[in-house]
Amino acid sequence: MSSDTPLNIVPPRRGRAVKLSCGQTLKIVNTHGTQVVDTWCFNADDMKEFMSMEHHRAVTQSLFPAEGDLLHSNRRRPILQLEVDTSPGRHDTLIAACDVHRYALLGCNSYHDNCTDNLHAALMQIGLRADECPSPLNLWMNIPVTDAGATEWGTPLSQPGDYVILRAMMDCIVVMSTCPQDMVPINGTDCIVKEVQYAVL
């Protein structure tokens, strides 16, 4: 990316969708180092095909996507490639996108911004809709798994300015949500949701 390529912002607690042609790349920057970004990808020609974490894990036999890995769709085809990752590489493929029901279970008695609604709102902004909310790739979300199989709410291992570059393996739509979770410390111990930056290269 040249130094004059403009960076766009995904505001705190919100989502953005971008269209990529096959071969284009998307850079997502963890500006402050602590922000989780729920990330989805849909086939631009058929929204029923989307990046699928359960299918991806079956192909790679790993919980953590690594630099260079192809990310697979629910039709077991490469849809993105994690081409560059400057962070320690701890991203989550297990946890579903947060929604109003999740926050209710955490004791929230009023509406809470959430990634599921962010997904649909971001798609609506570009005139698209998805029938469901697939399980996202949670960039920079640290979910330690114990030997006994238990999961924990860790804080991100990334640093300010860490970034990933995702390459489109087909014409696709990538959706990013700055996760609004402020009731468990996945966005840092201060539980403050922050913006991230992105650019189509």
Side-chain angles (χ1 to χ4, degrees):
M1 185 178 77
S2 66
S3 59
D4 58 355
T5 300
L7 287 170
N8 304 288
I9 291 176
V10 185
R13 315 175 79 87
R14 294 292 179 262
R16 291 290 184 270
V18 296
K19 296 181 179 181
L20 298 179
S21 298
C22 183
Q24 275 191 303
T25 55
L26 173 68
K27 180 178 183 178
I28 307 174
V29 183
N30 199 336
T31 313
H32 301 279
T34 56
Q35 182 59 48
V36 168
V37 181
D38 285 40
T39 308
W40 300 266
C41 185
F42 297 84
N43 180 342
D45 296 320
D46 182 359
M47 296 286 286
K48 294 185 184 301
E49 182 175 15
F50 47 79
M51 183 171 64
S52 168
M53 292 300 94
E54 53 267 43
H55 291 82
H56 175 74
R57 291 193 302 268
V59 171
T60 64
Q61 296 183 279
S62 175
L63 294 178
F64 308 116
E67 186 175 79
D69 278 358
L70 294 170
L71 304 171
H72 292 79
S73 78
N74 57 320
R75 295 176 186 165
R76 302 183 192 271
R77 301 197 300 163
I79 191 168
L80 290 175
Q81 182 180 30
L82 180 56
E83 189 167 88
V84 176
D85 183 2
T86 69
S87 78
R90 187 55 57 91
H91 310 287
D92 170 64
T93 65
L94 294 176
I95 304 299
C98 59
D99 51 31
V100 291
H101 312 294
R102 169 66 176 147
Y103 291 108
L105 288 171
L106 289 173
C108 187
N109 296 317
S110 58
Y111 179 78
H112 195 292
D113 295 323
N114 63 86
C115 288
T116 298
D117 287 351
N118 285 350
L119 165 67
H120 294 298
L123 287 173
M124 189 178 301
Q125 287 177 352
I126 61 171
L128 296 173
R129 65 180 299 274
D131 292 336
E132 60 181 295
C133 176
S135 184
L137 168 59
N138 296 307
L139 291 173
W140 301 297
M141 187 172 177
N142 179 23
I143 302 296
V145 180
T146 71
D147 290 342
T151 58
E152 300 173 354
W153 302 115
T155 56
L157 304 180
S158 46
Q159 298 297 315
D162 275 345
Y163 63 87
V164 298
I165 294 178
L166 303 171
R167 182 172 295 276
M169 304 306 292
M170 63 178 71
D171 293 350
C172 61
I173 313 296
V174 177
V175 185
M176 302 159 281
S177 170
T178 49
C179 183
Q181 177 59 265
D182 54 10
M183 301 179 75
V184 299
I186 62 161
N187 288 315
T189 53
D190 59 6
C191 294
I192 296 175
V193 181
K194 300 178 176 72
E195 81 280 0
V196 299
Q197 296 170 298
Y198 70 94
V200 176
L201 310 183

